Amino acid sequence: MAMPQDTSMKNPEMLCVLSGFGGQGVLFAGKVMANAGLLDGRHVSWMPSYGPEMRGGTANCNVSLSDDAIGSPFITRPTALIALNQPSIEKFGPTLENGGVAVVDTTLAMNVEEVELPEGVKLFAFKATQMAEDEGLKGLANIICLGKLWAETQFADLDVLEAALKKCVPPKHANLLEPNLKALHLGIEL
């Protein structure tokens, strides 16, 4: 079910940090967002970063989508944040722009209310990992959060975001496409 879009905010500039532990799929979610920007004909930057431990270590990526040239892939004042654990909201939450959007998985970020966020930040905190498991979508909390971020910012047209997700799921894992689309729409409908 497509959500109606506010055309005054259609495809705004997006400076997003996605962060969590390695293995939570933050780099994949960022890749989907970046591909949506590419398919939309926008300027895109995707810069991954992860600790040496990989799974279980820290992982984050910066995604910039803009109609103008992007000067640097590094984001110091994001307009949006997806945080899949407590260290992520603690580190990146305070760096959000005033009026930004934070989507937080409280399954692993249980003390979100203790983090001081800038004025006007719209916080959407819910148990995404638990929700994914309850819906038979284990491991797709990242895509549920991406769906919620899309519902709040509409950083691309929905059909473009779905096409980007299809492009990012490799053919050898085609069986994962439908669960990913279901997770995306679960987040959109929150």
Side-chain angles (χ1 to χ4, degrees):
M1 178 173 115
M3 301 282 292
Q5 293 188 23
D6 175 4
T7 54
S8 66
M9 282 294 293
K10 188 174 179 191
N11 304 344
E13 179 178 63
M14 172 65 64
L15 301 174
C16 185
V17 172
L18 300 91
S19 184
F21 293 129
Q24 287 186 293
V26 295
L27 302 182
F28 179 78
K31 189 175 178 182
V32 172
M33 180 184 282
N35 271 277
L38 288 172
L39 292 173
D40 221 13
R42 303 180 78 196
H43 295 271
V44 175
S45 174
W46 176 76
M47 187 177 79
S49 173
Y50 44 87
E53 310 89 348
M54 293 291 278
R55 288 202 178 271
T58 59
N60 66 74
C61 66
N62 293 329
V63 178
S64 300
L65 308 177
S66 180
D67 292 330
D68 300 317
I70 297 168
S72 170
F74 188 72
I75 299 171
T76 57
R77 297 289 292 174
T79 58
L81 169 66
I82 292 178
L84 298 182
N85 60 22
Q86 189 68 32
S88 296
I89 188 63
E90 288 174 359
K91 180 176 182 178
F92 297 109
T95 70
L96 277 161
E97 279 288 340
N98 293 351
V101 175
V103 176
V104 182
D105 180 359
T106 58
T107 308
L108 295 174
M110 296 162 278
N111 299 315
V112 174
E113 66 281 347
E114 295 175 12
V115 177
E116 195 167 319
L117 298 174
E119 187 176 320
V121 167
K122 296 173 208 84
L123 174 64
F124 300 94
F126 54 95
K127 294 187 177 297
T129 298
Q130 187 63 53
M131 183 182 299
E133 290 177 11
D134 291 348
E135 294 291 326
L137 301 169
K138 186 174 174 137
L140 294 178
N142 59 333
I143 302 301
I144 292 173
C145 290
L146 184 63
K148 182 60 179 170
L149 181 64
W150 180 87
E152 299 305 323
T153 64
Q154 296 169 358
F155 57 83
D157 291 335
L158 182 56
D159 59 336
V160 170
L161 180 57
E162 290 171 340
L165 185 56
K166 290 174 186 172
K167 182 177 176 154
C168 291
V169 174
K172 68 180 181 178
H173 295 296
N175 62 314
L176 299 177
L177 180 57
E178 282 308 312
N180 272 274
L181 287 168
K182 183 178 177 185
L184 182 70
H185 284 275
L186 192 61
I188 289 170
E189 294 164 10
L190 281 174

